[in-house]
Amino acid sequence: MSQFPVTLKKQLVDDWEFVTQLGKLVKLPRSPTVDGILTKYLEYRVKKDNKISDSCAEVTKGLRCYFDKALPAMLLYKKEQKQYKEEIKGDVSPSTVYGAEHLLRLFVKLPELLSSVNMEEDALNKLQQKLLDILKFLQKNQAHFFLSAYDGDSKGADGAKGK
């Protein structure tokens, strides 16, 4: 996705610095959650288009599934692994706990993930347009969806606390 909004790129860099350099984690559960953001996006589309298109609902559903599967596999920094294990137990979906910070990381991985999907070029282009629309929605609501600072207590992130 070459049209990644600049303000969201900066958000990703800040996110990386908070977690990997400063050892700060996103306080969980987030509000709004990935689930909540995708629901808000559908509501926004309904208001804008006066209807909900099946493809829009399909894309958000697919994004939610991708997020839940990709989060533990490729979206967490090493320092976030322990927090994930503490927060996601049983049949809890990561999309009901994590928020925009981690959803944004998925968007970075999507081109790579979609390149391995067998899809007609036309369908792939339409999907990329929808994903870009969701990204623009994230950007428009950046102040509301993203944290400006992370939790100073990186409990368990480096194993130093609580010993």
Side-chain angles (χ1 to χ4, degrees):
M1 241 172 279
S2 55
Q3 306 127 306
F4 213 91
V6 174
T7 54
L8 292 181
K9 280 184 184 171
K10 184 185 178 329
Q11 188 79 47
L12 282 165
V13 171
D14 290 349
D15 175 50
W16 177 83
E17 278 184 3
F18 275 128
V19 179
T20 64
Q21 306 302 299
L22 302 172
K24 294 174 186 273
L25 303 181
V26 171
K27 201 169 173 56
L28 299 175
R30 281 289 286 118
S31 177
T33 62
V34 169
D35 236 5
I37 291 168
L38 294 175
T39 300
K40 281 181 188 358
Y41 172 73
L42 284 178
E43 289 165 2
Y44 155 79
R45 289 300 336 165
V46 168
K47 272 193 190 120
K48 203 170 171 174
D49 310 335
N50 287 329
K51 66 178 186 356
I52 187 155
S53 70
D54 290 345
S55 61
C56 219
E58 204 57 40
V59 168
T60 55
K61 190 176 158 193
L63 207 49
R64 189 178 285 117
C65 285
Y66 255 118
F67 181 83
D68 287 340
K69 297 242 182 315
L71 183 83
M74 62 174 64
L75 302 181
L76 294 174
Y77 294 116
K78 201 176 200 124
K79 292 180 178 183
E80 295 174 309
Q81 296 285 345
K82 186 173 189 282
Q83 182 190 37
Y84 172 83
K85 287 183 182 106
E86 290 167 0
E87 295 287 336
I88 307 297
K89 290 188 166 75
D91 58 358
V92 173
S93 296
S95 57
T96 63
V97 176
Y98 286 82
E101 296 78 15
H102 292 82
L103 179 59
L104 196 55
R105 294 181 199 173
L106 176 63
F107 275 93
V108 175
K109 300 279 188 189
L110 277 175
E112 180 190 324
L113 293 170
L114 291 174
S115 69
S116 61
V117 174
N118 195 2
M119 208 182 226
E120 284 179 30
E121 198 171 331
D122 186 45
L124 189 59
N125 287 338
K126 283 184 178 145
L127 174 61
Q128 286 174 329
Q129 283 312 307
K130 290 225 177 351
L131 293 171
L132 191 59
D133 192 53
I134 296 171
L135 254 187
K136 286 177 180 166
F137 176 74
L138 282 176
Q139 182 185 25
K140 212 165 92 174
N141 295 281
Q142 193 167 0
H144 184 68
F145 289 166
F146 291 89
L147 290 171
S148 53
Y150 289 19
D151 192 9
D153 177 22
S154 57
K155 65 170 194 224
D158 56 3
K161 284 220 178 276
K163 277 196 173 173

